[in-house]
Amino acid sequence: MQSNTPNPDSTEPVMSAGAITAAVTAVLTLLVAFGLDLTEGQTTAILGVVAVVGPIVAAWWGRRSAYAPATVARLLRR
């Protein structure tokens, strides 16, 4: 079970999620450039899914890992 106490040692979780989304896109583009046999339509479809799912995953991951200042203040008052 996840603790409700913010982790003062955590880094930038949203930045990490954004970097992972960008990396997936870059790796796919690189694989296609080096001969992965995908049509232009398949590549566009995959990148479209990454473009939609990536921000959703980043938001979910960031929300699990980051706390708003108001949330931290409320937790510290307990």
Side-chain angles (χ1 to χ4, degrees), residues 18-76:
I20 290 170
T21 301
V24 168
T25 303
V27 167
L28 179 60
T29 303
L30 185 67
L31 289 173
V32 169
F34 279 93
L36 181 64
D37 192 24
L38 294 176
T39 66
E40 187 175 333
Q42 290 170 323
T43 302
T44 301
I46 292 169
L47 291 176
V49 169
V50 170
V52 171
V53 173
I56 292 170
V57 170
W60 170 78
W61 184 2
R63 183 65 186 116
R64 286 184 57 240
S65 306
Y67 292 89
T71 303
V72 173
R74 188 187 78 235
L75 290 171
L76 293 175

